[in-house]
Amino acid sequence: MSFLSACSLARIYATSGRQLGTGFIARLQQSQTVACSSSSSVQPKEPPKAPTPTAGSSAQDTNISSRTHRPNDFEKRLLVFTKKYKTTEEIPQYINQDVMERCRNQVRIKIANYMMLATAIGCIIMVISGKKAQERGDSVQKMNLEWHKEYNEKARQEVADAPKN
């Protein structure tokens, strides 16, 4: 990559206000920004200033960013279930969106684990039940034959009891 293209990449990212990752472009920008800054007249943008509170808003409302979330009652119960807070009264009005996402993921994982455990227990119970039925001499085939016998008997009785016209 040439010096000129490194300068233009640094200039583009400085003017767009994007955050760079820790990859190749970030290392390139760190090494080339010093060399480019003397030839570049583009200054990086300043971060936006926080709005000043007006008469109708409180100071707490100005600290709310786009990454905050107002939890509803169900989400408050989830936060208590994952032990982020001891009680629902302790939960602030706004919490970080990342905290809420991690909480939902933990609950999702816990529920999936409980369902797997319940499935395993149900399978064990069915195996034990099947072995007991085998000892008694019961089988699905015998139960099916008995049901068909009863069904055919009822059908014959209905035909015999029906009034003849």
Side-chain angles (χ1 to χ4, degrees), residues 55-75:
S57 67
S58 66
Q60 182 183 7
D61 290 341
T62 60
N63 294 332
I64 298 170
S65 70
S66 62
R67 294 294 299 164
T68 57
H69 177 72
R70 186 175 189 164
N72 58 25
D73 291 336
F74 178 71
E75 290 171 335

Side-chain angles (χ1 to χ4, degrees), residues 34-112:
V34 175
C36 295
S37 62
S38 61
S39 65
S40 172
S41 64
V42 177
Q43 297 294 329
K45 293 182 180 178
E46 293 181 18
K49 295 179 182 177
T52 58
T54 59
S57 67
S58 66
Q60 182 183 7
D61 290 341
T62 60
N63 294 332
I64 298 170
S65 70
S66 62
R67 294 294 299 164
T68 57
H69 177 72
R70 186 175 189 164
N72 58 25
D73 291 336
F74 178 71
E75 290 171 335
K76 287 181 181 181
R77 289 188 198 126
L78 295 181
L79 288 164
V80 172
F81 179 68
T82 57
K83 298 180 182 172
K84 299 282 184 199
Y85 297 95
K86 289 184 180 179
T87 62
T88 56
E89 290 81 27
E90 290 180 7
I91 300 172
Q93 188 175 8
Y94 292 95
I95 61 171
N96 192 341
Q97 181 67 32
D98 295 332
V99 172
M100 196 68 235
E101 285 298 319
R102 273 186 262 129
C103 174
R104 285 187 194 125
N105 289 336
Q106 287 177 353
V107 169
R108 194 175 298 124
I109 291 168
K110 283 184 181 185
I111 289 173

